[in-house]
Amino acid sequence: MAAGKKAKNVGKGMKGKVKETTGKAVGNESLEAKGKLEQAAADAKQTGQKAKDTMKD
């Protein structure tokens, strides 16, 4: 996987985790849900990128 894309996906996942944790801490269900959604999107992109890398080999 291209290092830049991997770092970007990891960063998005971390950002999502921060939103989820903050949402839980302040009782904001919307923020918590957005955080979970961002994490899922980052995971999906990472999985897709790994699949592309596997096909190249």
Side-chain angles (χ1 to χ4, degrees), residues 11-44:
K12 285 185 179 185
M14 290 174 60
K15 182 179 172 186
K17 186 64 176 175
V18 169
K19 282 185 179 182
E20 178 188 0
T21 303
T22 303
K24 281 182 183 179
V26 299
N28 185 332
E29 292 177 4
S30 176
L31 185 60
E32 185 178 345
K34 285 180 185 178
K36 287 181 181 180
L37 186 62
E38 281 186 21
Q39 288 178 72
D43 289 344

Side-chain angles (χ1 to χ4, degrees), residues 52-57:
K52 284 182 185 177
D53 291 346
T54 301
M55 297 302 245
K56 288 181 183 178
D57 294 338

